[in-house]
Amino acid sequence: MALRLADKWIWDFWLVDDGGTHHIFYLQAPKSIGDPELRHWNVSIGHAVSSDLVDWEVVPDALVPGPEGAWDDLTTWTGSIVRHGARWHLFYTGTSSAESGLVQRIGLAVSDDLVVWERHGSRPLIEADPLWYETFDAGDWHDQAWRDPWVFHHDDGWFHATITARVNRGHRHGRGVLAHARSHDLIDWEVLPPLTTPDGFGQVEVSQLTRHRHHWYMTFCSDLLTQSDHRRATGPGTGTYYLRASDPFGPYPLDQARALKADQDGSSYAGRLVSGSRGDLLFLSWERTRPGAGFVGAVSDPIHVLVGEDGHLTLAESE
């Protein structure tokens, strides 16, 4: 049974394995608002746990927008969680009412148990650097894209983050890239040049880096509406894509992106790869639409991922 709530819509999510217990954190909005397109502005971060990625128990919400006047008083959007020392660190996207939600920044909350979260300070920790990235006041996009941080620790001793962003030059429907930042302590961050070069994606959303066997897989999602005319005409559509590399930092040429689950109807989005208990690879996504049902807003059951001899991925359901 998928993770589906009677009174809330669910969309973007991320997972953490705490010694055999799977924790899922997800964006949610009450169905009482009527229009699912309003969900982004009525959002909180929900939390559920499971032993098998199928049956979920909802636990207390993780995070809600900050108090009036805070940098994140309007929204708390997609993030990721990493453990450092004895504490869990939740990096999330925030926007403010003062800026009408048009400028995205990344902040931090911390927890000892993955259940009770406390914001770190009163300011965001990672912001777009105009040296490489498009900002709202100097760009031609509908907002300042700087969101969906995926944070991980690497053997080089640094913590790294991949971030949804746009470079500050080029055609507006082709500026989408994965930004890169690094930190020694998860508090002070250095923003670096992007890990990808732009290639027909207006946005490269909800990234995740996964190591499986001898390969690193960078997954992301893209909406048909934000792709270039050429990509819309020739690509697979809306959904989850992946890039494969032998090094966590790529190269990740976007022109080689393959669809893991994508279609012209955009029935699913923002998929995640998860390591199974038997060393296999699983895929979950949020169910966006269904024929005859309109907007769904739920998280799918896991699907097995087939890994070819060449390292390329295929969902078992499509075999």
Side-chain angles (χ1 to χ4, degrees):
M1 54 183 295
L3 176 57
R4 181 176 287 107
L5 304 180
D7 59 343
K8 295 183 179 72
W9 288 300
I10 297 173
W11 61 108
D12 294 1
F13 63 95
W14 55 101
L15 295 117
V16 177
D17 186 345
D18 180 21
T21 298
H22 298 282
H23 293 253
I24 187 170
F25 296 82
Y26 48 86
L27 305 190
Q28 60 180 5
K31 294 181 179 178
S32 59
I33 62 176
D35 182 357
E37 291 304 309
L38 298 176
R39 69 188 186 278
H40 300 290
W41 312 111
N42 295 271
V43 64
S44 59
I45 297 177
H47 181 193
V49 296
S50 172
S51 61
D52 59 6
L53 297 170
V54 176
D55 295 311
W56 294 96
E57 176 189 355
V58 175
V59 295
D61 291 347
L63 207 64
V64 300
E68 184 178 355
W71 72 273
D72 59 352
D73 68 350
L74 184 58
T75 67
T76 48
W77 285 335
T78 310
S80 64
I81 293 174
V82 63
R83 188 162 193 162
H84 181 39
R87 308 200 83 184
W88 297 95
H89 294 67
L90 165 57
F91 288 86
Y92 65 96
T93 309
T95 69
S96 72
S97 299
E99 296 166 324
S100 302
L102 296 174
V103 178
Q104 300 161 10
R105 300 178 176 89
I106 294 169
L108 171 65
V110 295
S111 173
D112 295 321
D113 58 7
L114 288 170
V115 176
V116 179
W117 293 90
E118 177 183 355
R119 281 173 167 80
H120 173 85
S122 59
R123 299 180 61 83
L125 295 187
I126 320 176
E127 300 189 51
D129 186 336
L131 179 62
W132 294 293
Y133 302 107
E134 181 184 78
T135 56
F136 183 70
D137 57 353
D140 60 1
W141 201 240
H142 56 269
D143 59 20
Q144 178 176 300
W146 191 256
R147 64 182 181 277
D148 309 339
W150 179 262
V151 178
F152 64 98
H153 190 259
H154 185 51
D155 294 341
D156 62 3
W158 292 83
F159 290 94
H160 296 264
T162 61
I163 301 165
T164 293
R166 287 167 51 83
V167 291
N168 52 16
R169 59 184 60 85
H171 188 275
R172 70 186 301 267
H173 279 95
R175 294 189 186 184
V177 294
L178 288 176
H180 182 201
R182 68 179 183 177
S183 171
H184 273 307
D185 59 6
L186 294 175
I187 305 300
D188 296 312
W189 287 85
E190 175 188 7
V191 177
L192 302 171
L195 289 178
T196 61
T197 54
D199 190 85
F201 292 101
Q203 297 183 142
V204 182
E205 300 187 282
V206 192
S207 63
Q208 176 188 358
L209 185 62
T210 305
R211 187 174 188 177
H212 185 72
R213 298 177 183 171
H214 305 298
H215 301 287
W216 292 90
Y217 295 95
M218 183 70 76
T219 52
F220 66 90
C221 58
S222 177
D223 194 305
L224 197 65
L225 295 176
T226 64
Q227 296 174 19
S228 66
D229 291 342
H230 175 73
R231 190 171 290 281
R232 282 199 295 269
T234 61
T238 291
T240 303
Y241 293 75
Y242 75 94
L243 293 156
R244 179 174 57 93
S246 58
D247 186 274
F249 306 111
Y252 294 110
L254 286 175
D255 62 347
Q256 296 181 22
R258 295 192 176 207
L260 188 53
K261 185 174 177 62
D263 56 53
Q264 297 297 309
D265 296 328
S267 59
S268 74
Y269 205 63
R272 298 290 196 180
L273 293 175
V274 186
S275 296
S277 59
R278 296 174 295 180
D280 52 349
L281 203 58
L282 306 172
F283 175 80
L284 292 83
S285 63
W286 72 269
E287 298 179 355
R288 189 172 181 173
T289 61
R290 189 182 306 129
F295 188 85
V296 177
V299 176
S300 72
D301 285 335
I303 301 168
H304 280 91
V305 180
L306 307 178
V307 183
E309 292 185 3
D310 59 359
H312 287 300
L313 308 180
T314 309
L315 296 186
E317 66 172 3
S318 64
E319 289 294 293

